[in-house]
Amino acid sequence: MSKKARPRGLPDNEAKAVTRSIRISPRKLNDVASEIRGMKVDKALAYLTFSRRRIAKDIKKTLESAIANAENNHDLDINNLMVAQAWVGKNLVMKRWMPNARGRVGHIQKFFSELTIIVREVREESKEAA
């Protein structure tokens, strides 16, 4: 006896990948994630490959995972995929301190983020209608 399978939360033409505990602040991560929203997958991969931002490598790994999920788990055509959504959330905050002058303390916060990327297959007939 096992639990019943949970219904799929996404439509049939979408796939998702989530990366948690990325060691960068959500504001910096969202700068790069906002650049790839709405792009075709091949253009987004090219943008992330040649980006000079350090976090682009982690975003590229998440995007490649979403593409692999779409291809292997949901039988979607990877040539017709686009980045439908890419959003950033807050994760834990490590709190550190550094001694300052006159017995005071300087607080340091080290932010972590999480990234969710949803890719959607865009069919040819919907492209012609638009």
Side-chain angles (χ1 to χ4, degrees), residues 22-35 37 53-56 59 86-93 109-115:
I22 303 172
R23 178 57 191 93
I24 193 167
S25 72
R27 290 176 66 177
K28 292 178 186 177
L29 180 60
N30 195 35
D31 283 346
V32 183
S34 64
E35 291 290 327
R37 285 186 196 118
R53 302 290 293 263
R54 174 186 66 87
I55 198 60
I59 297 175
W87 74 82
V88 176
K90 287 175 64 174
N91 207 314
L92 64 95
V93 178
Q109 293 183 332
K110 298 187 175 191
F111 294 99
F112 283 74
S113 306
E114 52 187 54
L115 173 68

Side-chain angles (χ1 to χ4, degrees), residues 56-80:
K57 184 169 50 173
D58 293 332
I59 297 175
K60 183 180 175 191
K61 284 171 65 174
T62 307
L63 180 58
E64 288 171 343
S65 176
I67 294 168
N69 290 341
E71 182 180 18
N72 297 322
N73 300 343
H74 306 298
D75 297 326
L76 301 178
D77 184 18
I78 61 171
N79 296 323
N80 296 331

Side-chain angles (χ1 to χ4, degrees), residues 105-120:
V105 67
H107 296 283
I108 300 170
Q109 293 183 332
K110 298 187 175 191
F111 294 99
F112 283 74
S113 306
E114 52 187 54
L115 173 68
T116 304
I117 295 180
I118 296 179
V119 293
R120 179 182 300 142

